[in-house]
Amino acid sequence: MHDPASVGAVTAQTAEFNTPLQFRSGATLDGYRLVFETYGELNASRSNAVLVCHALSGTHHVAGHYEDNPRDIGWWDNMVGPGKPLDTNRFFVVGVNNLGGCHGSTGPSTIDPETGRPFGPRFPVVTVEDWVVSQARLADRLGIEQFAAIIGGSLGGMQALQWSLDFPERVRHVICIAAAPKLTAQNIAFNDVARQAILTDPEFHGGDFYDKSVVPRRGLRLARMLGHITYLSDDSMAEKFGRVLRSGALNFGYDVEFEIESYLRYQGDKFADRFDANTYLLMTKALDYFDPAHSHGGDLSAAFRGATANFLIVAFTSDWRFSPERSEEILKALLDNELDVSYAEFKTVHGHDSFLMTDPHYHELMRAYFQSIEL
Amino acid sequence: MYQGTRHRAPAIVSRPDLAAIAEWVRPRAKVLDLGCGDGTLLRYLAETREAWGYGVEISEANVLACVRNRVNIIQSDLESGLSAFESASFDYVILSQTLQSMHHTEEIVREMLRVGREGIVSFPNFGHWRNRMQILLGRMPVSEALPYQWFDTPNVHLCTVNDFETFCAQHGVRILERRVLHLGKEVATLPNLLGSIAVFRIERRD
């Protein structure tokens, strides 16, 4: 099956770093590895690079497929490819698995060279700021002095924002989709219930489950089921599942009865098969800690004072996890600093997950914005 | 900053009020264009006045057109106010051919003069003789300045030049400059009768 709008078969690459990385928490890693993929060609003036930052459960595999696994298609394949909104005929696109991840970059399941055992719970609590530093080092390695754009949805959008604060001279356009300037108490509460599901799973073993040949599946499953509910909207669930019963009748028991139960359990199982429990904990903490205004007395406008990038902020009406009002907080801070910013709000039904969906209006705007970027 | 200076200037001739507005805008001014359509005016101001700013639009198609026109665009409903913008944060707030389709007329004028040091408003003059004639003949007016049929018009608050001046007097608004146009030319005599489009430069009278 040949899809001309796909980047086709791709190969993950690895970059090893031997310069110590000091985390915001104070912890240090002497060395680390980042796994990444690239699509398209870096032009001679190195002005066409775009970094794609992933969200909670994303990876470096943004687009295309693997030769040996054609069904493993990148998580943003509808956005990135030849002729797609982020056109790889024009841009050199970089996807990276964040530090602390579980898809090849150094993370909790990596062997700690000091102990000879997996890091497990001893892996440093990683923040959005730490990721941005590690991504900047990868950019150095790839010869990218300045990104044409950095784009991300949700937690990925937060990284794109952080880039504009920490390395203003290294990014010309920031595209921040379905994100928030910080989590609300309700957001943190959802994250903590997810964490508690993992932490209290008897097979979690305080995070040292790797050498016990078990996986805290129940915890991961519950965490994902809960998360998934918050990514969808009430309307999209009603439309997709309603109150449809699997067997067509009530069974007066606790087995799967409603379609939504079946769907959530399937999502939970699928996730538990591929995701690391310690990584999940780390990612949710990175979300909880993100708050660029905090070091400016809670003043988000003050936080953006040093930013110079052009911004595109995108929100979706049905997203109640990071609602349009949260994106408007970011917008307000950018307006206060007289930065070039555009803001679009799309009427979709898919909730927070809308940023991953193929909505024609949304994709047309992304295409137009990328086309407006001069190289 | 605007990136589109190497591109063709947009066709502004079809909207004479835009040319009049552009003449009033000082070079390098900061501008907020409410109901900016496809961003033609902002683009024109950037290219001819080095002015800079943002457009506000509610329609998806116009937001897309603005991005294509390389102007900053904020998708928002003007009827819900301008709370995202600080007071006196713009040199000009422009409301071109939008006033007549706003439900909350008083509020938007108050808001534009809060956010902008000056406001520029353009609207079709309902007092134009051709409109009066059509009413006399028993029909709702349809013209170049008022191209809609009564049943599909977005216009809900049409007014005449005289009506607007009375509105300003009653709402603490000072008129700094006025131009009444017909077919792109200024109308000096009997403007409320002979002009089809009115453009006002206004400020708050404190």
Side-chain angles (χ1 to χ4, degrees), chain A residues 332 338-340 342-343 345, chain B residues 1 54 72-73 75 86:
Chain A
K332 173 87 173 65
E338 304 194 325
L339 289 160
D340 278 302
S342 285
Y343 170 67
E345 193 178 299
Chain B
M1 290 297 122
Y54 308 93
N72 294 322
I73 178 68
Q75 188 168 23
E86 291 292 324

Side-chain angles (χ1 to χ4, degrees), chain A residues 18 36 146 152 169 333 352 360:
Chain A
N18 299 314
F36 65 99
Q146 183 191 62
E169 70 292 348
H352 188 56

